[in-house]
Amino acid sequence: VDRERAFADVLLGHRLGQFAPADRRLVTQLVLGTVAWRGRLDFELGRLSARKLEILAPDVLALLRLGLYQVRILTRIPPHAAVDTAVTLAREGPGGAGAARFVNAILRAAIRAPVRLPSRSADELEYLAVTYSHPRWLVERFIEWLGIGEAEGLLAADNEAAPNVLRLNFGRGPADELTARIQRDGMRIARRGRFPETVVLDGAASFDSASYRDGIFQPQAEASQLVARLLAPTPGSTVIDCAAAPGGKSTHLAEIVGPAGRVIALDLNLAGLKNTRAVARRLGHRNVLFARADCASVLPLRPESAGYVMLDAPCTGLGTLREHPELRWRLQPGDFARMADLQSRMLTNAAALVSSGGVLVYAVCSFAPDEGPGVVRNFLARHRDFEIDPNPPAAIRELLDLDGFMSTRPDRGGLDGFFAARLIRRFDIAAMPR
């Protein structure tokens, strides 16, 4: 994750199968927790170590963070056991005995004399940034957008474990049969979600299972599932998904429209498009067509040719910091404006495909104002033939704000941070036959 900019949850998804079910939750917590709490951990390590953290060997720094995370944050593992494990791993690494002595000295010093956190009264921003392990500039943005009370709640929520959520594939059978298959594979169900296809698991799960390979389910966050329900295409209709990878929403839409309908899945990323095709094949959806296309440019489809268009646009991923804690350390202050510019161009091109009276859903997994309401309001100011749908689907209505936008956040109900807007193209009276 640190050296190759990989995503921790993706790597875990491929590796958890080698662990016993009882250990998967701990392994997941250790990895994601250590990445998320990096800022808080480095604050203390930087004051305990005479060497600059930047010059430490990556494996040594990773072990220091992992050990201190268990000592300071996790607390369920006895401190001496956490230190012993870190020292053993350091000795087995390229640094050998020297690295082991260094790791041992730093972690035992941390146990003896914890470093004091910044004072809230002296510097509230620094206090929040270190206490909740977020970059200071991002803390400033949260306060600017939400006020300090809500911002602090959001910072805390970003460090909580995200629920593991599945979307059942009813093409493989009824809900009771599918959930029984999942449970036989060792997954524990905590509760059912807002819709019949949504299942929330109790703890971590390995998706290297027979039920996964047989297309019984697709891992997909609950907030993400809401987006297809907001579009709500009618059975038998055609849907164009303008940024289809990695395939969760495309296949959800394929199930909603049914075998008589079809989904045209577009994406610029060829590898992502191939992954979308693989997901559709595993789930048994034969009504998805695939084409490589760049939605930031004019799309190679007939204008006004679809009654339903989806644009789940590329974004900063700010609403998914629980699943992707590494993003908080990769984001830069200019990323929101940069992504909003790309999203605006994509929305304009996606809108050109919507027929008169048709529906367009724009979504991002971010709650940044630039990427959500800012993009939609700028679009509506330039395209007077579109408006916010005054009659959204009843099943989603309670999630919409006074402007008609769907907005979710982990500190408000536990869902990932998503923004979505359902737009309709007004009927062109002049173009109707007389």
Side-chain angles (χ1 to χ4, degrees), residues 70-157:
Q70 295 172 77
V71 170
R72 229 15 118 240
I73 309 296
L74 196 57
T75 69
R76 60 182 281 193
I77 296 173
H80 69 273
V83 174
D84 287 347
T85 301
V87 170
T88 299
L89 291 172
R91 186 178 294 111
E92 295 171 353
R101 286 192 296 271
F102 179 71
V103 168
N104 182 65
I106 296 297
L107 293 181
R108 294 203 179 278
I111 293 173
R112 288 194 305 270
V115 173
R116 182 175 296 179
L117 296 180
S119 165
R120 185 164 199 160
S121 59
D123 187 340
E124 188 164 40
L125 281 176
E126 185 70 3
Y127 165 81
L128 292 171
V130 173
T131 300
Y132 296 105
S133 194
H134 283 64
R136 182 182 174 112
W137 72 266
L138 193 54
V139 174
E140 291 176 339
R141 290 292 180 93
F142 284 6
I143 293 173
E144 175 189 337
W145 298 336
L146 307 172
I148 195 159
E150 282 195 47
E152 186 168 5
L154 177 58
L155 292 168

Side-chain angles (χ1 to χ4, degrees), residues 299-369:
L299 289 165
L301 295 172
R302 184 163 53 86
E304 301 187 31
S305 58
Y308 296 94
V309 175
M310 164 82 74
L311 174 60
D312 177 25
C315 69
T316 59
L318 189 63
T320 64
L321 295 189
R322 298 181 302 176
E323 293 97 328
H324 305 299
E326 59 277 344
L327 287 180
R328 71 183 74 182
W329 311 118
R330 296 177 185 173
L331 287 173
Q332 299 297 320
D335 287 344
F336 302 116
R338 179 177 61 84
M339 295 307 299
D341 177 69
L342 172 64
Q343 292 152 1
S344 293
R345 286 184 278 124
M346 296 179 75
L347 182 56
T348 295
N349 294 322
L353 305 177
V354 182
S355 60
S356 180
V359 179
L360 166 64
V361 164
Y362 167 79
V364 286
C365 54
S366 172
F367 50 81

Side-chain angles (χ1 to χ4, degrees), residues 167 218 220 241 247-256 263 276 279-280 283 285 288:
R167 175 171 54 79
Q218 171 66 16
Q220 187 178 2
D241 186 352
K249 295 182 183 67
S250 289
T251 51
H252 195 185
L253 291 167
E255 183 163 349
I256 292 172
V263 175
T276 303
V279 172
L283 297 175
H285 296 312
V288 186

Side-chain angles (χ1 to χ4, degrees), residues 162-183:
N164 280 290
V165 183
L166 311 180
R167 175 171 54 79
L168 298 178
N169 177 18
F170 291 137
R172 300 298 196 202
D176 290 347
E177 180 181 316
L178 301 184
T179 53
R181 288 280 306 273
I182 290 168
Q183 289 170 317

